[in-house]
Amino acid sequence: MDGAKASPRERIDMPRTSTRPAVVVGLALALIVYVGCNSKSDKTPRVIEAPKPITEAPKVSGDGKKLIANWPVPAGALILSGEMDGYLEPCGCSDGQHGGLGRRYDLVERLRSQGWPLTLIDLGSLIANPAGARGGQVQAKVKFGIALRALAMMKYDALALSAEDLKLSVDEVLGQFLNLGDKPAIVCANIAPDEAFKTVIHPYLETKAGAVKIGITSVLDPDAWKALADPAKEALLPIKSPQEVLPGVLAELESKTDTQVLMVQGPIELARSLAESFPGFDIVVSTSKFPDPPDHPEMLNNGKTMLVLVGKKGKHVSVVGLYPGQAEPMRYDRVTLGSGYKMAEPIRVLIDEEFPRELKDLRVVEDFVRRGNVKGAPGSEYVGAETCKSCHPNTYATWAASNHAKAFNALVKDPKRIREFDAECISCHTTGFEYNTGWVSAEKTPYLKGNQCENCHGPASKHLAAPDDPEIRKSIALTAEFADSSRLCIQCHDEDNSPKFNFGAYYGKIMHKGKDTYTDPKVHQPQPAPSRVAAGTAN
């Protein structure tokens, strides 16, 4: 990797094959090697002793204020997170964005520096819908691995098994779990893994937050499991109903621990039903319908059980303070990861250096699976805005003065945070990415840097060859009304990257109708195609 230090944990990339028995054998062999090297216990439940006390408190960072200052130091505390959905960090396209693994790391270290004994628990769904992800399946795979490494760096105790994560493919996810080491433990009570993987997926976990013994388990919604289009699930991860397994698991946890936590990888209705059916659980963690969870948890079972929603995209984490024996044994705070938290350096290195290096080495952008563009004349190719300049000089000048023209520069202006190998960023900061003859790289298609004319109007080589052809002109015509109604701009100016987007206000900055006159006969004559297109060098 460009001569850089190797990652602290090398990944096992599982082979893609339609012969599932071979997958099982390959994964089993990998597991044997892993267990032999690490002397991992073959017991199914995981028991982790409390971490050693911090001898040297990390420096207070961010805004320097004491966190959750209105609480006394708890006997133990839980950090509850989940449904990150692939949002490793705020992209930085706009101010006021929330979330990010770097800020979460900062929060965790600051609480530890305040003397808080912590147990860290994540509901899963580190990624979402990898097949339909903007960056593509390969980038989703890399993101999943980066997220796992970040959780390990933060010393997460438990991670629930998620159907969204398994959409990467069962063998891929199990392969990445094999590389994970001791933390976080993967827990799921109603998955009965193949014998070879009982040391990878555990029905529950026993750990400690200070002197408080914590029992953690999770269940996976059977309906979500059934919806997985992966035949490997039947052999490697057969499922049982939550109602069948939870009585035994809860009895074990109640006999060994002080506080019992159930994570439900399923809709809140399932989480609420299980909480009421098994009131022995003190805390039930559920997926969310909305990005922002409520300020306060729902209290069930006459106030005994706390139902916590984690929200989406990693914008918030929930903190539960444990005060056994007191009138208020549990306290809750929803923490929004805003600008008061800094990007912790270990996570910055992981996301800003290791992540793009892996994307570059895997050629995620260059080898992206491309398709034909339905905009523009059929068979037309991308030519770049410089080609439009000769016939549309005033329109070109309007574009050149806009932020659209500078979009690519925003990806590379910070040498510590280069994003030109990130397909999610490239999709909105270049021209024609995802399409045949569109953006490939700065070396191969430099004329397509920035968000240019052809992203809205479609590839223009046919228009260049026949500028007055009425059918071709019709195919590249675009009205403001259609751009707004078709939500063309929202593809990039979405709620995450451009939360204050207003079509009317923004369109006024790029509006170019009637800026050029076409009285010069030359503009009505066929123009030669740029040599780069004629030579077929765009892809």
Side-chain angles (χ1 to χ4, degrees):
M1 290 183 159
D2 297 338
K5 289 183 179 179
S7 167
R9 183 183 297 111
E10 296 296 328
R11 299 195 321 278
I12 297 176
D13 293 324
M14 304 316 300
R16 301 283 184 173
T17 174
S18 59
T19 310
R20 288 300 173 181
V23 172
V24 175
V25 172
L27 281 168
L29 288 174
L31 178 60
I32 291 170
V33 172
Y34 181 82
V35 171
C37 293
N38 291 273
S39 301
K40 201 172 194 176
S41 168
D42 60 357
K43 290 183 179 180
T44 302
R46 287 283 302 280
V47 181
I48 298 177
E49 293 300 322
K52 295 180 180 180
I54 298 173
T55 56
E56 183 179 348
K59 293 181 180 179
V60 174
S61 53
D63 59 11
K65 296 179 181 178
K66 185 178 180 181
L67 302 179
I68 318 181
N70 58 325
W71 290 7
V73 175
L78 307 179
I79 300 289
L80 305 174
S81 57
E83 294 195 279
M84 190 169 66
D85 294 347
Y87 287 76
L88 300 179
E89 64 169 343
C91 74
C93 290
S94 63
D95 295 330
Q97 294 178 324
H98 296 151
L101 289 167
R103 290 172 174 174
R104 194 192 307 180
Y105 187 106
D106 187 35
L107 166 71
V108 168
E109 289 304 297
R110 289 171 63 180
L111 287 176
R112 284 175 175 152
S113 74
Q114 292 176 193
W116 285 35
L118 300 179
T119 289
L120 278 59
I121 303 172
D122 195 275
L123 182 60
S125 296
L126 303 181
I127 56 172
N129 187 25
R134 177 179 283 179
Q137 182 104 354
V138 176
Q139 180 153 323
K141 167 188 164 182
V142 178
K143 276 191 163 188
F144 182 68
I146 291 291
L148 285 177
R149 282 147 65 184
L151 296 186
M153 291 168 67
M154 284 183 263
K155 300 181 176 61
Y156 261 76
D157 294 276
L159 171 66
L161 191 65
S162 159
E164 283 299 310
D165 294 335
L166 288 172
K167 287 178 182 179
L168 270 180
S169 84
V170 168
D171 53 331
E172 173 66 44
V173 170
L174 287 175
Q176 296 222 29
F177 286 165
L178 283 171
N179 283 294
L180 194 52
D182 289 331
K183 284 197 173 186
I186 312 302
V187 293
C188 188
N190 66 323
I191 287 289
D194 179 86
E195 189 68 30
F197 304 106
K198 287 187 176 180
T199 54
V200 179
I201 299 174
H202 313 275
Y204 62 83
L205 169 70
E206 299 167 49
T207 187
K208 288 184 178 180
V212 183
K213 297 177 182 178
I214 310 293
I216 307 165
T217 189
S218 82
V219 292
L220 177 60
D221 179 15
D223 289 338
W225 182 90
K226 290 176 185 176
L228 285 172
D230 189 336
K233 70 184 184 184
E234 302 285 352
L236 299 180
L237 300 176
I239 197 167
K240 298 180 180 181
S241 74
Q243 292 80 2
E244 177 184 354
V245 300
L246 284 180
V249 170
L250 178 57
E252 283 285 317
L253 294 181
E254 287 184 312
S255 69
K256 298 176 181 179
T257 60
D258 306 310
T259 299
Q260 293 79 45
V261 181
L262 169 64
M263 294 186 282
V264 180
Q265 255 297 343
I268 187 173
E269 292 79 11
L270 176 61
R272 188 179 289 115
S273 172
L274 292 175
E276 293 171 346
S277 298
F278 301 97
F281 286 107
D282 301 287
I283 301 168
V284 175
V285 186
S286 172
T287 62
S288 307
K289 293 181 179 179
F290 306 104
D292 300 319
D295 292 333
H296 303 287
E298 183 178 346
M299 300 305 296
L300 305 173
N301 301 322
N302 295 318
K304 194 269 181 185
T305 303
M306 180 182 288
L307 178 61
V308 176
L309 279 66
V310 293
K312 294 181 179 295
K313 303 178 183 179
K315 297 195 296 181
H316 313 274
V317 296
S318 296
V319 181
V320 178
L322 303 175
Y323 300 88
Q326 297 190 20
E328 188 180 5
M330 295 188 295
R331 299 190 184 191
Y332 173 88
D333 190 30
R334 187 194 76 175
V335 177
T336 299
L337 297 175
S339 58
Y341 299 92
K342 75 170 188 177
M343 169 61 120
E345 181 61 13
I347 302 295
R348 189 205 65 77
V349 172
L350 180 65
I351 293 178
D352 288 348
E353 296 181 21
E354 295 184 31
F355 177 50
R357 191 158 55 232
E358 290 186 28
L359 296 178
K360 179 182 179 182
D361 289 347
L362 290 170
R363 295 171 55 91
V364 169
V365 171
E366 290 188 77
D367 294 343
F368 199 90
V369 178
R370 289 167 169 80
R371 61 189 187 278
N373 196 331
V374 296
K375 293 182 289 187
S380 196
E381 299 181 343
Y382 287 91
V383 295
E386 284 289 336
T387 305
C388 308
K389 183 178 180 179
S390 60
C391 295
H392 307 274
N394 295 326
T395 297
Y396 175 88
T398 298
W399 168 80
S402 73
N403 287 332
H404 281 174
K406 306 166 188 173
F408 184 79
N409 294 338
L411 299 184
V412 298
K413 66 180 181 180
D414 184 350
K416 293 184 178 181
R417 195 175 185 270
I418 296 176
R419 288 290 179 262
E420 66 176 293
F421 308 109
D422 187 323
E424 292 184 7
C425 299
I426 282 294
S427 65
C428 287
H429 289 253
T430 61
T431 299
F433 179 67
E434 301 182 33
Y435 299 110
N436 298 331
T437 76
W439 174 269
V440 176
S441 68
E443 293 74 28
K444 295 181 179 179
T445 51
Y447 53 93
L448 296 179
K449 290 181 179 180
N451 199 317
Q452 301 184 16
C453 318
E454 291 166 295
N455 272 345
C456 295
H457 294 279
S461 65
K462 291 288 184 73
H463 174 59
L464 197 66
D468 286 342
D469 185 298
E471 289 301 315
I472 295 176
R473 291 181 64 175
K474 182 179 178 181
S475 71
I476 64 173
L478 180 68
T479 64
E481 292 75 18
F482 180 78
D484 188 15
S485 63
S486 65
R487 301 179 65 81
L488 174 66
C489 306
I490 300 297
Q491 294 175 33
C492 290
H493 291 279
D494 59 20
E495 63 178 10
D496 296 310
N497 302 323
S498 188
K500 298 179 181 179
F501 178 74
N502 176 280
F503 180 83
Y506 277 56
Y507 187 75
K509 299 178 181 180
I510 64 166
M511 201 246 320
H512 48 274
K513 182 178 181 180
K515 285 187 175 289
D516 289 292
T517 59
Y518 304 102
T519 55
D520 188 336
K522 292 181 180 179
V523 304
H524 299 280
Q525 300 300 316
Q527 304 295 315
S531 59
R532 56 181 177 262
V533 175
T537 57
N539 273 317

